Amino acid sequence: MKVLKFGGTSVGKPERMHSVAQLITADNDQKIVVLSALSGTTNALVEISQSLSEGKKAQAKQQIDKLESHYRTFCDQLVKQEAGRASAKAIIDEHFEFLNIILKISFNEALNKDILAQGELLSTRLFCVSLEEAGISAVLLPALDFMSIDEYEEPEIPKIKIKLGNLISQHKGEKLFITQGYICRNARGEVDNLKRGGSDYSASLIGAAIQADEIQIWTDIDGMHNNDPRVVKKTFPIEQLSFDEAAELAYFGAKILHPASIWPAQHFNIPVKLLNTMQPEAKGTIITELPNGNGAKAIAAKDGIIAIKIKSSRMLLAYGFLRKIFEVFEKYRTPIDMITTSEVAVSLTIDSEAHLDQILKELQPFGTVELDHHQTIVSIVGNEVAATPSIITKLFDAMEGIPLRMISYGGSRHNISILVNGQFKEKTLQVLNKGLFGLE
Ligand code: ASP
Ligand code: MG
C-alpha cells in the first residue's frame, strides 16, 4: 500500500482537485490519500480564531462569510450534477453552521483547534463527493478516529497502527482510502493538530503505521531544490537524498517538508518521494536510507531564531556548567538548535519565544546573558559535507563581508550551519549558491 499526500495548492482549485483524482487512479494500487485543506483556508481559519479570541465577533463573522462564499464558488465548479451539488451544499452548510455557532459561544483553546480542523474536514469530504460524481469508489477514513498524540504532543504510532488497521480491515477489497492530514486527537480526546504544515507529518505517520511501500508527498514544485527558489534565481531539484540529509533540510527551513515528517519514514525505512502535481512525470526527489554522492547538496534557511549568550568567569575550568544551563531549557521544553562554546561563554539558539522570559530569568544566576533576536540559521547539507575538501575555504570566501554570529561545524558530518542576522539571509543564500554550486 502507498500513502500519497496532496498539499493545499494541489487541491486549492476545482481543476486541481480533478487532476488529483486522475493521479490517484492512474494505476490500480491500493492507496491512502492524505489531503491538506484548500490553500488559504487554514490561514483564514487562524484569522477567524484570532478575531474571536480578541472578542471581535463582527470581524469574525465577515471572515467566516468570505470563506463560505469561497467554498460555494469552489463547489459550483467542482461538481456539476444535481446529486453531487446537493451533497456538497450539505457539507458546506454543516461546517459553516458550526463556525456560525462558535460565534455565539465563549472562545477557548479547544474551540480554536476545532476551528482549525474545519479546513481538512471540508477538503476531504468535498473531494469524496467529486470522486463519487466521477464514479470512483473510495472510502473516507476520519483522521480523528485513528490519529492521536500523547500528553507531550508526540504521535502514538502503536495506537494509530491498531486503530487504522481496524478501520482499513472493515473495507475489504477497497483500493482507495481518503483521509485528513494535520488533524488528530490529543491526550484529552479533544480535536487537535500536528502544527502548521502537519499534513506531511500525518502522511509519514500513516506510512509508518501501515508499513507502506512508499510515501509520496505531492506539492507544486518538482522536489527539494538545492536552495530556496524564492530567494535565489537559479536552483535545481535534487534527485536523491538520504533520510539524514532530508531531515536536516526539513528541520533547517526547507519549506517543502514539515520538519518532523522524516523520522517516522526513516524509523521504518519507507522511501519518501517528493513529487509535483503540475508535472507528474518529473522525477522529483527520492529520499531513502542510502547516502548518494558527497559534498554540499543543498542550502536551507530557518528564520526567527533567537541567539542567547551566557558569559561567566565561573565557567572557566568548571564542569557541570553546561548541564545546569541545558536543564533550564529542558524544564521549559525548548529545543536548542545550535551551540558554540568558548572557555568563558556559551552561545546557543532557540526558535521559540514561548518561554523566553522564564528561561532568561533562570539563566541570570549563571552569568551575563545577552540576546540577539531575528537571526537566521543557514545550513549547508550533504553527505559527508563537513569532510569535503576546501568546503570551509569556499564557505568563508563566499561569506566575505557578511558578519557571522555563530558557526557550527562537526556536529554531524552532513551539516555545517552558520548563524547570521536575518537581514543578511538573502545575501547569504545568494553568495553561497555561487560559492558552493557555481550558480548566480
Ligand atoms: N492545512 C494545514 C496548514 O496549512 C496543514 C497542511 O497543509 O499541511 O498548515
Ligand atoms: Mg506543506
Side-chain angles (χ1 to χ4, degrees):
M1 183 126 75
K2 286 181 183 166
V3 179
L4 285 74
K5 176 258 166 177
F6 293 88
T9 41
S10 304
V11 290
K13 295 219 163 75
E15 62 273 21
R16 303 238 48 84
M17 248 195 195
H18 293 145
S19 313
V20 171
Q22 276 176 358
L23 274 171
I24 61 173
T25 48
D27 60 37
N28 216 12
D29 294 348
Q30 214 183 10
K31 307 177 178 73
I32 299 187
V33 176
V34 180
L35 299 188
S36 290
L38 313 196
S39 49
T41 298
T42 312
N43 285 346
L45 293 168
V46 168
E47 282 166 17
I48 292 167
S49 258
Q50 184 67 30
S51 301
L52 286 172
S53 73
E54 292 164 5
K56 297 177 182 159
K57 297 206 171 185
Q59 185 173 310
K61 173 70 182 148
Q62 269 178 10
Q63 290 162 329
I64 293 171
D65 289 348
K66 190 171 160 217
L67 192 63
E68 179 171 347
S69 88
H70 177 72
Y71 274 83
R72 303 236 177 249
T73 318
F74 183 91
C75 282
D76 282 345
Q77 291 158 34
L78 181 73
V79 278
K80 299 281 181 217
Q81 286 157 25
E82 213 164 297
R85 288 213 162 156
S87 310
K89 181 180 177 299
I91 291 166
I92 298 177
D93 286 349
E94 185 185 321
H95 289 274
F96 283 90
E97 192 179 298
F98 171 76
L99 289 173
N100 278 297
I101 289 172
I102 282 187
L103 277 175
K104 300 194 187 101
I105 49 186
S106 54
F107 182 82
N108 59 45
E109 190 43 34
L111 218 46
N112 172 38
K113 300 287 174 57
D114 269 316
I115 295 173
L116 297 182
Q118 300 307 307
E120 272 70 11
L121 293 170
L122 274 160
S123 66
T124 45
R125 292 185 73 187
L126 295 173
F127 184 58
C128 285
V129 172
S130 149
L131 288 180
E132 199 179 329
E133 182 166 290
I136 300 165
S137 158
V139 168
L140 181 63
L141 300 174
L144 297 177
D145 290 351
F146 66 84
M147 188 58 79
S148 61
I149 51 175
D150 64 16
E151 63 202 290
Y152 301 111
E153 303 192 339
E154 292 299 331
E156 306 176 300
I157 295 184
K159 281 195 192 165
I160 298 168
K161 189 182 167 116
I162 295 171
K163 288 187 183 161
L164 184 55
N166 284 341
L167 284 173
I168 293 172
S169 67
Q170 288 166 22
H171 301 279
K172 290 249 151 42
E174 185 60 55
K175 290 272 189 237
L176 213 48
F177 297 96
I178 315 295
T179 191
Q180 298 88 12
Y182 179 58
I183 61 174
C184 62
R185 284 198 188 271
N186 62 25
R188 293 181 296 278
E190 299 156 350
V191 173
D192 209 320
N193 61 61
L194 301 174
K195 310 261 158 61
R196 293 305 305 272
S199 295
D200 301 336
Y201 197 17
S202 303
S204 185
L205 291 167
I206 292 170
I210 62 160
Q211 305 272 304
D213 302 317
E214 187 174 292
I215 298 161
Q216 301 179 356
I217 308 286
W218 289 83
T219 58
D220 54 355
I221 176 164
D222 52 350
M224 181 90 81
H225 277 227
N226 73 306
N227 203 332
D228 189 336
R230 292 164 306 178
V231 177
V232 296
K233 274 195 214 115
K234 283 193 193 144
T235 62
F236 56 87
I238 307 163
E239 261 180 47
Q240 211 257 332
L241 283 171
S242 68
F243 287 126
D244 286 335
E245 291 167 334
E248 303 249 20
L249 286 170
Y251 186 72
F252 286 113
K255 293 283 172 307
I256 190 172
L257 267 184
H258 182 279
S261 57
I262 290 297
W263 76 259
Q266 179 165 22
H267 190 75
F268 294 92
N269 196 14
I270 302 165
V272 178
K273 279 189 185 161
L274 309 179
L275 297 160
N276 185 358
T277 26
M278 312 285 199
Q279 228 183 312
E281 60 301 327
K283 271 195 192 144
T285 301
I286 171 144
I287 305 164
T288 63
E289 204 180 19
L290 301 173
N292 165 287
N294 281 352
K297 249 186 211 172
I299 305 168
K302 189 172 173 185
D303 300 318
I305 302 292
I306 304 152
I308 305 174
K309 179 161 41 174
I310 305 121
K311 200 171 163 206
S312 164
S313 51
R314 265 181 296 154
M315 195 177 157
L316 193 70
L317 301 175
Y319 52 83
F321 187 81
L322 287 178
R323 177 178 53 80
K324 288 183 203 136
I325 288 177
F326 286 158
E327 272 171 359
V328 174
F329 291 86
E330 188 182 341
K331 182 169 167 193
Y332 294 103
R333 300 179 61 80
T334 302
I336 295 168
D337 287 331
M338 275 178 87
I339 165 158
T340 55
T341 66
S342 82
E343 195 48 48
V344 290
V346 51
S347 272
L348 45 82
T349 69
I350 58 174
D351 67 359
S352 154
E353 300 234 9
H355 301 288
L356 190 58
D357 290 345
Q358 292 131 300
I359 289 173
L360 291 179
K361 205 165 161 212
E362 297 210 19
L363 288 176
Q364 292 306 339
F366 298 117
T368 337
V369 182
E370 281 171 34
L371 268 194
D372 288 311
H373 284 274
H374 312 298
Q375 304 289 302
T376 295
I377 296 178
V378 176
S379 289
I380 298 117
V381 173
N383 185 41
E384 301 293 345
V385 68
T388 310
S390 71
I391 187 89
I392 289 293
T393 320
K394 283 186 188 162
L395 178 71
F396 283 130
D397 280 351
M399 291 295 293
E400 203 189 322
I402 303 177
L404 270 179
R405 170 70 178 78
M406 280 167 73
I407 172 155
S408 174
Y409 173 91
S412 110
R413 300 211 303 257
H414 317 301
N415 176 316
I416 302 171
S417 291
I418 55 179
L419 187 73
V420 294
N421 190 307
Q423 62 179 323
F424 297 115
K425 167 192 163 173
E426 299 204 344
K427 182 94 188 117
T428 303
L429 291 182
Q430 286 155 1
V431 297
L432 290 179
N433 212 38
K434 179 145 193 262
L436 302 180
F437 299 106
L439 298 171
E440 289 289 338

